[in-house]
Amino acid sequence: MGTVVDDAAAAEFHAFFERHYAELARLARLLTGEPDAADDLAADALLALWHRWDRVRAADHPVAYARGVVANLARTRVRTAVRERRRVALFWSQREERTENPDVAGVVDVQEALRRLPFRKRACVVLRHAFDLSERDTALALGVSVGTVKSQTSKAVAELQRLLGTRAAPRAPRQVHAAIARSGGAAGGAR
């Protein structure tokens, strides 16, 4: 008998999906201003509704409930985007950085070594040494504690020294700092 109820609930949800998906996607598009994200938000909202379908179908106004879920997801997306833009604006360097007679091979070696670091270590060392951010500003940018920044930076510098040491590359933290700064802080692809 449970299968019949499940099939009935699935059919009811499918009909709800067909009737309201376009409307929910339009709502998401208008709330976020991101046409590409609207379909994803509507799909995420409908997935959340499916997981609570017994509660949603018992509600007086299931469509209002669905709109509320879309609005909450859109609000989260907008807040995340605003925080990210603030972080970028806060740490964006306005000065022009040019290096005369760059050590191209050294830069390539540093960039390759940076790519081999796990993301958090890489982010800490790049923000601290290439962008000259304080431990506090780095922690703020990454959403971690100052202690985490200290330990991850220390471990990253040690790892870079190990990776670069065999290539007659910088061995002291100050030299690693200079090499990272010269490399433009390009940390390569994310992990």
Side-chain angles (χ1 to χ4, degrees):
M1 183 106 174
T3 306
V4 174
V5 173
D6 291 342
D7 289 344
E12 190 177 272
F13 178 78
H14 181 74
F16 183 88
F17 181 96
E18 293 295 326
R19 271 193 317 274
H20 300 291
Y21 177 79
E23 172 194 345
L24 295 174
R26 182 171 177 257
L27 174 62
R29 184 174 42 256
L30 291 171
L31 291 175
T32 63
E34 299 178 25
D36 295 339
D39 287 333
D40 290 342
L41 285 174
D44 288 346
L46 285 161
L47 179 62
L49 293 174
W50 171 246
H51 288 296
R52 290 175 262 172
W53 186 243
D54 287 341
R55 222 178 314 153
V56 174
R57 69 197 276 210
D60 290 334
H61 303 287
V63 176
Y65 188 90
R67 289 179 188 135
V69 172
V70 169
N72 287 334
L73 289 172
R75 178 178 25 256
T76 299
R77 184 173 182 88
V78 168
R79 285 179 178 168
T80 300
V82 167
R83 277 194 304 268
E84 187 63 29
R85 287 184 193 121
R86 284 181 183 156
R87 287 177 182 158
V88 168
L90 179 62
F91 302 118
W92 185 256
S93 174
Q94 296 300 322
R95 64 181 187 265
E96 244 183 80
E97 295 180 19
R98 293 188 184 189
T99 304
E100 293 187 29
N101 302 322
D103 175 8
V104 176
V107 168
V108 170
D109 287 346
V110 170
Q111 288 177 343
E112 180 57 34
L114 285 169
R115 277 188 207 92
R116 293 179 65 187
L117 294 177
F119 177 77
R120 185 173 286 171
K121 287 180 184 174
R122 183 182 338 143
C124 286
V125 80
V126 166
L127 290 172
R128 291 281 295 126
H129 295 290
F131 288 85
D132 291 322
L133 296 184
S134 68
E135 290 168 342
R136 182 181 169 277
D137 288 341
T138 300
L140 177 65
L142 298 176
V144 298
S145 70
V146 171
T148 298
V149 170
K150 288 178 181 182
S151 71
Q152 293 293 295
T153 302
S154 175
K155 290 174 184 176
V157 168
E159 183 70 10
L160 288 171
Q161 289 172 336
R162 187 186 67 74
L163 290 170
L164 297 170
T166 60
R167 300 179 199 146
R171 296 183 198 288
R174 182 174 293 175
Q175 291 170 312
V176 170
H177 170 88
I180 294 168
R182 280 194 308 273
S183 76
R191 273 192 197 182

